[in-house]
Amino acid sequence: MPVFKTPFNGYSVKFSPFYENRLAVATAQNFGILGNGRVHILELTPNGPISELSAFDTADGVYDVCWSEAHDSLVIAASGDGSVKLYDLSLPPTNNPIRSFKEHTREVHSVDYNTVRKDSFLSASWDDTVKLWTVDRNASVRTFKEHAYCVYSAAWNPRHADIFASASGDCTTRIWDVREPGSTMILPAHEFEILACDWNKYDDCIIATASVDKSIKVWDVRNYRVPIAVLNGHGYAVRKVRFSPHRASAMVSCSYDMTVCMWDYMVEDALIGRYDHHTEFAVGVDMSVLVEGLLASTGWDELVYVWQHGMDPRAP
């Protein structure tokens, strides 16, 4: 299975929604504490290694990336200096970034592009806020300010253009409607910090939360007093969780226990796959929208793996 070595520590990996063989990777020097960052655009070659299409250097670490859903060459990066940067792959690195949005007062930890309306994106920051942006405006459209601590993740609902969720170190996940003045729902989902959230791609009322408490919980927002599933199996904090674009009850997660886990939350033995290919914290994971079962992960061991579910990521 293909592997790519990055010069810095991996933080996030995302498959392109336009090209099945392309992915973006966010990296940060010195484990993201101090130093530079780099955004890598990688291409899978048939039966061969991963090649680098382009790379963009930053003065601060890059903690997350997302692809535009409207333009196949646009990538958005979340930076440690509080900025959100927009890169155009059709232009040389010297002409990038084409835009830098600077409003957050602390590190930007997450970015997510609207898959329904395809004209806007979210940024979540350690300054306790989420901001809504459009590509063509220099200033944010709106700031969402209710969380009492760092917001680690914000995720658009895959069916409703105005609905998103945010996951925070204040131990809550909040549901927002951009048409409403405040959050529409507060899920006291865990007793420890919540590091990630994601919506089910087949049921717009199902959301998963991942926490420092080592668990993933699955919730139905129509009745959120108790989770519909609690997934235990990671040995340390769960850093990311992603629902499958192809199977309604499948999801993938990565953790500080250095593993990537595949789950089916509808069955009793929910843990259906565990991959222990990373030798440091596994902090980035994604599932391809275009190729069923294709996974990618990255971590602090400075490696990016791409593999088919059921295969060994380290297999040649």
Side-chain angles (χ1 to χ4, degrees), residues 15 20 202 244-248 250 262 287-295 307-310:
F15 283 101
E20 62 183 43
Y202 292 84
S244 167
H246 300 280
R247 288 178 54 199
M262 182 72 85
M287 304 178 85
S288 171
V289 173
L290 303 175
V291 182
E292 185 170 359
L294 191 64
L295 302 168
W307 76 101
Q308 192 69 31
H309 174 53

Side-chain angles (χ1 to χ4, degrees), residues 195-259:
L195 301 182
C197 60
D198 194 38
W199 294 92
N200 187 294
K201 306 304 180 257
Y202 292 84
D203 187 332
D204 52 24
C205 292
I206 303 294
I207 190 170
T209 55
S211 172
V212 169
D213 68 11
K214 306 183 279 193
S215 77
I216 299 161
K217 294 183 181 180
V218 184
W219 307 85
D220 187 326
V221 297
R222 291 163 294 199
N223 180 17
Y224 59 90
R225 302 212 178 278
V226 291
I228 56 176
V230 179
L231 309 179
N232 292 303
H234 279 300
Y236 288 100
V238 186
R239 181 58 184 268
K240 298 261 174 70
V241 62
R242 303 280 289 177
F243 271 104
S244 167
H246 300 280
R247 288 178 54 199
S249 59
M251 63 176 86
V252 66
S253 61
C254 63
S255 166
Y256 289 124
D257 68 8
M258 307 185 202
T259 70

Side-chain angles (χ1 to χ4, degrees), residues 49-194:
I50 300 175
S51 64
E52 185 176 77
L53 272 183
S54 54
F56 305 103
D57 289 317
T58 59
D60 290 84
V62 184
Y63 294 141
D64 197 17
V65 283
C66 71
W67 292 89
S68 164
E69 294 282 339
H71 303 282
D72 63 359
S73 64
L74 294 186
V75 171
I76 295 157
S79 177
D81 67 357
S83 69
V84 179
K85 291 180 164 56
L86 181 61
Y87 295 94
D88 188 339
L89 311 186
S90 65
L91 300 173
T94 50
N95 291 27
N96 275 287
I98 59 170
R99 191 157 292 167
S100 184
F101 307 94
K102 184 75 172 79
E103 288 186 20
H104 285 294
T105 57
R106 290 198 62 196
E107 294 88 337
V108 182
H109 206 251
S110 159
V111 282
D112 192 47
Y113 210 92
N114 192 313
T115 58
V116 181
R117 198 180 283 128
K118 302 182 190 297
D119 65 346
S120 53
F121 62 93
L122 298 166
S123 60
S125 169
W126 290 5
D127 67 7
D128 311 350
T129 71
V130 178
K131 287 180 182 284
L132 171 66
W133 311 83
T134 58
V135 170
D136 54 356
R137 278 181 52 158
N138 286 320
S140 62
V141 177
R142 188 169 161 200
T143 301
F144 302 88
K145 226 178 151 172
E146 281 184 25
H147 283 294
Y149 196 59
C150 302
V151 188
Y152 294 116
S153 173
W156 287 108
N157 186 290
R159 299 239 181 129
H160 300 286
D162 296 303
I163 308 292
F164 72 90
S166 58
S168 169
D170 67 9
C171 308
T172 69
T173 291
R174 290 173 187 257
I175 314 297
W176 308 78
D177 184 326
V178 300
R179 299 164 296 188
E180 300 293 334
S183 63
T184 56
M185 194 177 298
I186 304 170
L187 277 70
H190 298 262
E191 292 183 9
F192 293 86
E193 290 187 82
I194 305 170

